[in-house]
């Protein structure tokens, strides 16, 4: 996990509520990523940011939003527009070709 | 689009035996590949990587082989130990610097 922290480890929300997942890093990496992991599927890219105050949509950005106001932080908001929000969410940082993952947050929406 | 797949979803090996996990990729232009290990409820951990200008790379107890002719990647773990039990998946980086991940193979080491 290195210098990447995600909190909380488990998160429960009622359907219709927005929820924000935290990702903080002290690796001084410019690039940060959010992935979603579902059983039996590979990681899917939600959003990524190569530099502060800039971010791009990944393959499954609908129903999610992000911000990158600081190099160290890349929070992900799961909005009520996301149809199937229950999943394991992974944040990663990038340095060159390498990616380093955080411990993940398991979000359950009922 | 990209597709990265694994031939076998599960693999069971005896402790001490060698393990081989396979991965197929579809984009011949991909130039960087990584193998990750993921234990239950945790984030993926980097194991080993290989660039497309290589066909073999060795680490501690692990070897990655790349066959660009058939677009195939494999991870070999020597003398598999119980602590090696996890899900292993490959990732490829395409020319757009985005990673695409395989679905994973669950490795179980039998003591």
């Amino acid at each position: 996990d290195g210098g990447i922290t995600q909190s909380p480890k488990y998160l429960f929300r009622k359907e219709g509520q927005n929820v924000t997942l935290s990702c903080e890093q002290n690796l001084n990496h410019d690039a940060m990523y959010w992935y979603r992991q579902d059983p039996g599927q590979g990681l899917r890219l939600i959003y990524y940011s190569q530099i502060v105050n800039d971010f791009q949509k990944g393959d499954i950005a609908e129903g999610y939003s992000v911000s990158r106001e600081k190099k160290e932080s890349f929070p992900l908001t799961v909005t009520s527009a996301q149809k199937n929000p229950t999943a394991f969410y992974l944040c990663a940082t990038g340095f060159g070709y390498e990616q380093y993952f955080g411990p993940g947050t398991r979000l359950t929406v009922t | 689009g990209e597709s990265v797949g694994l031939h076998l979803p599960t693999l069971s090996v005896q402790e001490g035996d060698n393990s081989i996990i396979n991965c197929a990729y579809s984009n011949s232009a991909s130039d960087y590949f990584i193998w990750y290990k993921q234990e239950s409820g945790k984030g993926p951990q980097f194991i080993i990587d290989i660039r497309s200008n290589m066909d073999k790379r060795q680490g501690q107890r692990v070897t990655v082989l790349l066959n660009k002719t058939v677009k195939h990647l494999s991870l070999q773990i020597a003398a598999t130990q119980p602590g090696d039990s996890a899900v292993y998946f490959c990732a490829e980086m395409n020319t757009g610097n985005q990673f695409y991940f395989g679905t994973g193979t669950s490795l179980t080491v039998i003591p």
Side-chain angles (χ1 to χ4, degrees):
Chain A
D1 302 338
I4 305 169
T5 57
Q6 291 186 244
S7 60
K9 187 171 179 63
Y10 298 97
L11 191 54
F12 298 88
R13 280 295 183 269
K14 294 289 188 183
E15 191 174 328
Q17 294 179 335
N18 292 353
V19 59
T20 298
L21 281 59
S22 167
C23 179
E24 303 282 330
Q25 57 113 347
N26 62 4
L27 301 171
N28 200 35
H29 290 167
D30 286 320
M32 297 187 75
Y33 306 81
W34 272 106
Y35 292 93
R36 172 184 172 134
Q37 188 174 38
D38 295 283
Q41 297 191 39
L43 301 183
R44 291 184 290 168
L45 182 64
I46 304 172
Y47 267 98
Y48 65 100
S49 169
Q50 303 279 27
I51 198 168
V52 174
N53 291 323
D54 188 48
F55 48 83
Q56 279 76 43
K57 293 181 179 180
D59 299 321
I60 55 165
E62 185 176 351
Y64 300 97
S65 65
V66 294
S67 63
R68 187 84 187 277
E69 297 176 1
K70 300 185 300 181
K71 189 175 188 177
E72 300 79 17
S73 180
F74 191 40
L76 173 74
T77 297
V78 184
T79 75
S80 57
Q82 168 50 233
K83 301 300 182 189
N84 297 294
T86 295
F88 189 51
Y89 290 88
L90 286 160
C91 176
T93 68
F95 181 74
Y97 282 157
E98 298 179 13
Q99 287 202 349
Y100 302 85
F101 287 88
T105 291
R106 184 164 298 281
L107 173 65
T108 302
V109 176
T110 58
Chain B
E2 306 283 341
S3 74
V4 180
L6 294 170
H7 293 311
L8 296 172
T10 61
L11 178 65
S12 295
V13 298
Q14 291 290 139
E15 181 178 358
D17 287 352
N18 296 336
S19 303
I20 299 176
I21 301 170
N22 297 303
C23 180
Y25 64 95
S26 60
N27 188 347
S28 57
S30 292
D31 57 5
Y32 181 64
F33 304 86
I34 302 178
W35 278 102
Y36 286 97
K37 172 186 180 183
Q38 187 176 22
E39 296 175 333
S40 181
K42 296 183 179 180
Q45 294 176 286
F46 172 94
I47 301 174
I48 192 167
D49 60 356
I50 189 167
R51 297 190 189 282
S52 59
N53 61 353
M54 304 170 69
D55 54 19
K56 180 179 180 179
R57 189 156 189 237
Q58 288 184 293
Q60 187 176 13
R61 284 202 306 118
V62 294
T63 300
V64 55
L65 300 177
L66 176 63
N67 186 331
K68 293 181 286 294
T69 302
V70 295
K71 295 198 284 282
H72 183 267
L73 193 69
S74 69
L75 175 71
Q76 300 178 0
I77 305 174
T80 314
Q81 303 168 359
D84 294 328
S85 292
V87 173
Y88 292 81
F89 57 88
C90 63
E92 64 173 308
M93 176 185 273
N94 63 11
T95 52
N97 285 344
Q98 275 200 28
F99 279 98
Y100 291 86
F101 296 85
T103 54
T105 290
S106 177
L107 174 66
T108 301
V109 180
I110 304 166

